[in-house]
Amino acid sequence: TTTYLKTNFIFQKKSCTYVFLKKLYFGFKFFPFCYNIQKIFEGISMKFRIYYEDTDAQGIVYHSNYFKFCERARSEAFIKSGIDIFSSRAYFVVNKIEAKFIKSAVFGDMIEIKTGVDSIKKASAVIRQDIYKVQNLKGENINELIFSAFINVVYMKDKKPSKFDENVLNFLKSF
């Protein structure tokens, strides 16, 4: 069974504010999702600038780089949590991605990747990651959704899908 996070309310917990939004049509089906608008840990929201290496010859971010940006944000979240999930014994693998490219980022843009857990099963979770363009090269503030993805990750132990360890499950439930 899948556990979905509650929708349509705001609450405070341990000095963090959570905003749960209504179901959003994503093009495939309706998904509930949530964002933590303050930091639970430093990795929940990650910002960085688009450099030349991220773009094609026209200065537009190459499509596969959006997946790299999401991977960086997910990895940073786990690194900052202190949970060791990057060992040869226990780790996550991606087994499905549903993505929607909405607009392009270009050279010099500042982007922000927001990460939240959409649903949790015994050995897998669906991570929602949205990328926003927050500032252009001229310094103009923008808050525009440009990419959205639902990424299914499976917890592996000794090269087999495995039930989440308690600390990993608690971490996933925390955001």
Side-chain angles (χ1 to χ4, degrees):
T1 62
T2 302
T3 304
Y4 285 103
L5 302 173
K6 296 179 181 178
T7 60
N8 300 332
F9 67 94
I10 299 173
F11 73 96
Q12 295 279 332
K13 179 181 175 187
K14 295 181 184 176
S15 75
C16 294
T17 303
Y18 297 79
V19 177
F20 293 88
L21 304 172
K22 287 186 174 184
K23 293 178 180 180
L24 172 72
Y25 182 68
F26 184 68
F28 301 97
K29 53 186 166 182
F30 284 91
F31 289 95
F33 64 96
C34 73
Y35 290 134
N36 176 318
I37 60 174
Q38 292 180 359
K39 295 176 184 174
I40 294 174
F41 52 89
E42 291 294 316
I44 196 73
S45 178
M46 183 175 173
K47 290 183 182 180
F48 58 89
R49 186 163 307 280
I50 300 298
Y51 293 103
Y52 187 72
E53 68 185 4
D54 301 316
T55 66
D56 60 17
Q58 288 78 34
I60 299 170
V61 172
Y62 187 67
H63 73 280
S64 66
N65 285 340
Y66 292 96
F67 298 111
K68 290 191 331 186
F69 301 154
C70 289
E71 178 64 32
R72 288 179 197 166
R74 285 193 315 276
S75 295
E76 193 65 28
F78 278 101
I79 290 167
K80 298 264 174 130
S81 75
I83 297 172
D84 182 20
I85 56 99
F86 299 103
S87 70
S88 61
R89 186 174 176 275
Y91 51 91
F92 282 98
V93 295
V94 173
N95 76 337
K96 181 180 178 183
I97 298 176
E98 294 179 8
K100 186 169 186 177
F101 297 85
I102 300 163
K103 290 193 173 186
S104 295
V106 297
F107 174 77
D109 286 345
M110 181 70 72
I111 62 171
E112 179 176 18
I113 299 100
K114 294 183 179 182
T115 303
V117 175
D118 183 66
S119 63
I120 301 171
K121 293 184 181 179
K122 290 181 182 180
S124 67
V126 177
I127 309 293
R128 180 180 177 124
Q129 292 189 281
D130 289 334
I131 300 179
Y132 289 84
K133 183 187 300 190
V134 295
Q135 192 177 62
N136 62 21
L137 189 57
K138 296 177 185 176
E140 300 167 331
N141 291 329
I142 304 165
N143 192 24
E144 183 175 42
L145 180 65
I146 60 172
F147 176 83
S148 187
F150 289 93
I151 301 160
N152 194 68
V153 295
V154 178
Y155 188 61
M156 305 286 285
K157 268 190 164 176
D158 300 320
K159 300 182 182 180
K160 296 178 186 174
S162 176
K163 183 178 175 182
F164 289 118
D165 290 340
E166 187 175 338
N167 62 340
V168 174
L169 182 60
N170 289 337
F171 168 73
L172 291 171
K173 286 181 176 180
S174 75
F175 73 97

